[in-house]
Amino acid sequence: MIFLGFLDNLIHGISLGSIYAIIALGYSMVYGIAKMLNFAHGDVIMVGAYISYYAVSSVTGCFGLHPALGLLLSVSICTLLGVTIEFLAYRPLRKAPSLAVLITAIGISYFLQNAAQLICGSSTKFFPYVEFFHNKLFTVGELSVSLTTIVTIAACIVIMIGLTLFTGKTKTGKAMRACAEDKGAAQLMGINVNKTISITFAIGSALAAIAGILFGCAYPSLSPTLGSMPGIKAFTAAVFGGIGSIPGALLGGILLGIIENLAKGYISTELSDAIVFAVLIIVLLVKPTGLLGKKIHEKV
């Protein structure tokens, strides 16, 4: 019985960690190529969740579309939003000090939160995708796993495989890797750096939309601050695994989800977040670049 409880906590931890990993991929890709931290990324998750809510929900003023169409619409709009944010807010600051970029990112974050509150209201809404899954459970012996958990883990695996193949096999993916190594040299070789960074933001924002829907299925309460804490934890996961590394984002996200869920189950729900950040501090003291991060030697 103790082992069954541990296994249940472990599976739910992997599911939560899969969501963190998908969000962390956006942070890692943008940092790896543009060398900037997009702290508005968490709020793109919230935008994606709201778009899917209004697309799928059948209440007054909503469209009542099929969840698959809601997902497609959410991904499309968030992709456009990510490219727009990069073009209007970040591209003019490409050569600005990192502090200016950081302040801009925080400003965009607050802008998106307040815009969502003005447009959608501050009241909490119930996420409609939960009804689509109908709380379906799959039972193996005495262990029950929800369809939401299976879909979340499967989505993370598919996204990781797809991104790995994309960055390793396609021309655009190789251009992204070249920009991550040296943007100046990449530009001399004929790579359009601005276009490559825009594509990176587009992919990261599309992943944020998917993560927003998955997070809404796991925690069905929808509010304008939905993306704040998942965004911070996903950034923590990216640093934990080694920011700039795609496998690091996966490893950091999964480990973070497992640690958080086990802390809730065996130590304290109130202290779970503190335990997560304490583990991060310990890891960074031992390995400052993260678990899979590489030490970068700067030329002087």
Side-chain angles (χ1 to χ4, degrees):
M1 199 68 183
I2 295 173
F3 176 72
L4 189 65
F6 172 79
L7 195 59
D8 185 60
N9 279 316
L10 184 65
I11 291 171
H12 282 90
I14 293 172
S15 176
L16 179 61
S18 297
I19 298 173
Y20 290 154
I22 294 171
I23 305 170
L25 284 169
Y27 281 113
S28 281
M29 290 176 67
V30 169
Y31 181 82
I33 293 170
K35 294 295 181 290
M36 60 158 289
L37 297 173
N38 179 21
F39 279 112
H41 189 64
D43 296 286
V44 178
I45 299 166
M46 174 270 297
V47 172
Y50 265 110
I51 291 167
S52 57
Y53 167 81
Y54 283 107
V56 173
S57 183
S58 56
V59 299
T60 306
C62 299
F63 296 101
L65 301 176
H66 189 276
L69 292 175
L71 171 64
L72 184 62
L73 182 64
S74 179
V75 168
S76 301
I77 295 177
C78 283
T79 300
L80 183 61
L81 176 64
V83 173
T84 303
I85 289 172
E86 189 276 330
F87 180 77
L88 295 177
Y90 295 141
R91 188 174 295 186
L93 300 175
R94 192 68 54 78
K95 295 182 180 180
S98 56
L99 183 61
V101 179
L102 178 63
I103 293 170
T104 302
I106 294 171
I108 294 168
S109 174
Y110 280 112
F111 172 79
L112 292 175
Q113 284 184 26
N114 284 277
Q117 189 168 347
L118 286 170
I119 296 169
C120 307
S122 57
S123 60
T124 302
K125 296 174 174 61
F126 182 77
F127 200 65
Y129 279 72
V130 177
E131 297 174 357
F132 174 70
F133 287 111
H134 295 298
N135 294 320
K136 294 177 182 175
L137 295 174
F138 295 90
T139 305
V140 180
E142 296 183 8
L143 182 68
S144 295
V145 182
S146 68
L147 179 60
T148 304
T149 300
I150 294 171
V151 168
T152 300
I153 296 172
C156 180
I157 293 170
V158 170
I159 287 170
M160 279 301 306
I161 293 172
L163 266 182
T164 302
L165 292 175
F166 175 77
T167 55
K169 302 292 183 181
T170 66
K171 184 178 180 180
T172 303
K174 290 176 182 177
M176 291 167 66
R177 288 165 57 195
C179 289
E181 287 293 329
D182 191 325
K183 286 194 286 292
Q187 195 163 16
L188 289 172
M189 296 302 293
I191 294 172
N192 189 329
V193 174
N194 285 332
K195 180 183 176 182
T196 303
I197 292 175
S198 292
I199 292 171
T200 305
F201 269 84
I203 294 171
S205 299
L207 295 179
I210 295 170
I213 293 172
L214 293 174
F215 192 80
C217 291
Y219 303 95
S221 296
L222 185 59
S223 68
T225 57
L226 167 76
S228 298
M229 188 53 72
I232 291 170
K233 288 182 179 177
F235 172 68
T236 303
V239 175
F240 193 12
I243 193 162
S245 166
I246 291 177
L250 174 66
L251 178 63
I254 298 296
L255 287 177
L256 196 78
I258 291 172
I259 293 167
E260 181 180 337
N261 223 57
L262 291 178
K264 285 179 180 178
Y266 294 103
I267 301 174
S268 168
T269 304
E270 291 79 11
L271 293 175
S272 60
D273 290 344
I275 292 168
V276 165
F277 291 114
V279 171
L280 171 68
I281 292 168
I282 293 168
V283 169
L284 292 181
L285 286 173
V286 177
K287 202 170 189 302
T289 57
L291 295 174
L292 298 182
K294 296 178 181 178
K295 188 176 287 187
I296 299 173
H297 299 281
E298 294 187 5
K299 295 179 180 179
V300 180

